[in-house]
Amino acid sequence: MKKVGIIGVGEYLPKKVLTNKDLEKMVDTSDEWITTRTGIKQRRLVAKNEAASDLAIKASYQALEDARLKPEDLDLIIVASITGDMPFPSVSCLVQNAIGAKKAACFDISAACAGFVYAVTIAKQFIESGLYKNVLVVGVEVLSSVTDWKDRNTCVLFGDGAGAAVLSQVKSGGILSSYLGSDGSKKDLLYIPAGGSRLPVSKETIDNRMHYIKMQGNELFKLAVTLMAEAAQIALKKAGLDCKDIDLVIPHQANIRIIMAMAKKLKLPEDKIYLNIAKYGNMSSASTATALCEAKKEGRIKKGDIILLDAFGAGLVWGACVIKW
Ligand code: COA
């Protein structure tokens, strides 16, 4: 079996910063509440003329440079996003055109906050099978476009950003195992009611604020802790490893208390958990992607390290990958 690894990473965060103090002026909340309940201090937001593909393109160029590949070397581009530029075409086609990846096939996937873990796992199969050599995976979201800025239960949580990774065959290490899960019976815990084919845009859907994220935070919290811990254990077992073998966990960044409760379940010390939630909030598929990129840039990932990607999101979907760097 071919070994498949991540050979380059990149990211792009929009320039505009929205702090908790800024949010205090918009809804009935406080910096203290947001910080203690979520670990978030600020988040990035796109400018008026910026959309998902703009962020994805910049992250992709960086990942390609890190991988020392040219856009023409790419065989496939997979973008994980629930906030693409438009219903169609796919964000991946917009990226393909902008960067000039003339040879690449393209598609987007919808797996919410687990999107990057799902896309990395899909990319791995294409390379293992021998169909493709170099695959670009991007996690990108403009959650500010679907956030109800009048709802304090949700608007304090989300942000915009993009992270990217290039996957290719490697001589040693690589992705040792992947595990993906889902439970559609819990679809109503986190969703956007309107804007699709069930409830197309109408005056009524707009008046009722149905194009924004609806969330039952408490229920999700408990499920996230259980399912992320379970995903880690299953992926580790598949790789023939144990929690004590992990050098660094790159978790989905939804809430610092979710991450720490998961770490406690797995008996993992805090210094083995990578966090960027304070700076960016929850960026769905872009959270794990940017966290991986930043951990690498900061020197937290060294050759031979065992890395665990672990994510959970709307659907519900969840998953984990064990990677030997
Ligand atoms: N500022 C101040 N108070 C707020 C608030 C805010 N931004 N948001 C909610 N509250 C209030 C609630 O109205 C509630 O008040 P009440 O007791 O008078 O009804 C109180 O704070 C507690 O709400 P609760 O929902 O129990 O808080 P919590 O500790 O569960 O934290 C979340 C809320 C959303 C931060 C937390 O549940 C969470 O992170 N859930 C997971 C969300 C998630 O992961 N989503 C994405 C999945 S990928």
Side-chain angles (χ1 to χ4, degrees):
M1 186 84 90
K2 289 187 177 71
K3 291 181 169 57
V4 179
I6 293 175
I7 62 160
V9 287
E11 66 172 346
Y12 181 76
L13 284 311
K15 300 280 170 273
K16 186 177 172 190
V17 174
L18 186 78
T19 64
N20 292 350
K21 286 275 171 209
D22 296 328
L23 277 163
E24 284 179 359
K25 292 173 209 139
M26 296 161 63
V27 287
D28 180 14
T29 191
S30 66
D31 174 35
E32 201 264 333
W33 192 96
I34 304 169
T35 307
T36 53
R37 297 295 180 108
T38 70
I40 301 166
K41 294 296 285 181
Q42 60 180 48
R43 64 289 292 145
R44 299 294 184 90
L45 303 184
V46 289
K48 270 207 164 62
N49 58 350
E50 261 179 332
S53 67
D54 301 312
L55 314 187
I57 290 160
K58 290 184 172 121
S60 299
Y61 275 129
Q62 206 180 88
L64 281 168
E65 198 186 326
D66 192 37
R68 289 163 208 224
L69 289 184
K70 296 189 192 68
E72 309 86 275
D73 298 324
L74 291 173
D75 302 298
L76 174 66
I77 301 173
I78 308 173
V79 173
S81 187
I82 48 167
T83 49
D85 293 36
M86 55 197 85
F88 65 86
S90 63
V91 179
S92 49
C93 277
L94 304 178
V95 172
Q96 182 269 343
N97 177 51
I99 68 174
K102 294 191 173 62
K103 262 180 25 191
C106 287
F107 62 87
D108 289 4
I109 65 153
S110 171
C113 304
F116 186 67
V117 172
Y118 262 70
V120 163
T121 303
I122 296 167
K124 174 178 177 266
Q125 311 310 309
F126 278 108
I127 299 167
E128 259 174 12
S129 73
L131 188 61
Y132 294 134
K133 227 171 127 200
N134 301 312
V135 182
L136 171 69
V137 169
V138 185
V140 60
E141 302 294 356
V142 180
L143 292 179
S144 60
S145 66
V146 289
T147 296
D148 186 343
W149 293 102
K150 290 187 171 164
D151 175 13
R152 72 173 183 173
N153 289 297
T154 52
C155 76
V156 300
L157 302 175
F158 303 113
D160 304 336
V166 178
L167 281 82
S168 199
Q169 200 177 338
V170 290
K171 288 200 180 78
S172 61
I175 300 167
L176 305 181
S177 70
S178 272
Y179 165 70
L180 303 176
S182 72
D183 180 2
S185 73
K186 301 209 167 45
K187 63 187 189 323
D188 296 338
L189 294 181
L190 183 56
Y191 74 125
I192 298 176
S197 56
R198 186 157 302 279
L199 272 179
V201 183
S202 68
K203 185 174 179 311
E204 191 198 343
T205 62
I206 292 170
D207 289 348
N208 292 323
R209 309 184 78 73
M210 293 167 88
H211 303 270
Y212 297 127
I213 297 170
K214 311 288 175 200
M215 186 183 80
Q216 291 178 43
N218 262 324
E219 266 315 293
L220 279 173
F221 190 106
K222 288 177 263 174
L223 286 161
V225 174
T226 307
L227 293 168
M228 282 173 73
E230 198 177 284
Q233 279 159 339
I234 296 172
L236 282 164
K237 195 168 173 206
K238 284 174 111 180
L241 297 173
D242 199 68
C243 285
K244 62 180 179 335
D245 298 313
I246 298 175
D247 292 296
L248 192 67
V249 182
I250 311 282
H252 172 50
Q253 316 270 322
N255 185 320
I256 198 161
R257 291 186 297 132
I258 292 178
I259 297 171
M260 289 312 164
M262 177 206 64
K264 200 172 159 200
K265 256 182 184 281
L266 297 173
K267 298 194 178 66
L268 282 165
E270 283 184 24
D271 64 347
K272 288 199 170 180
I273 314 290
Y274 188 82
L275 297 169
N276 65 5
I277 187 169
K279 292 189 287 182
Y280 306 136
N282 179 350
M283 302 182 290
S284 191
S285 67
S287 276
T288 28
T290 58
L292 178 69
C293 177
E294 295 191 348
K296 168 89 192 316
K297 281 185 187 169
E298 289 165 21
R300 296 277 305 270
I301 301 177
K302 291 177 286 305
K303 186 142 183 62
D305 277 358
I306 300 292
I307 308 300
L308 176 80
L309 294 182
D310 198 348
F312 166 92
L316 301 178
V317 283
W318 58 91
C321 291
V322 178
I323 305 170
K324 186 167 183 180
W325 208 261

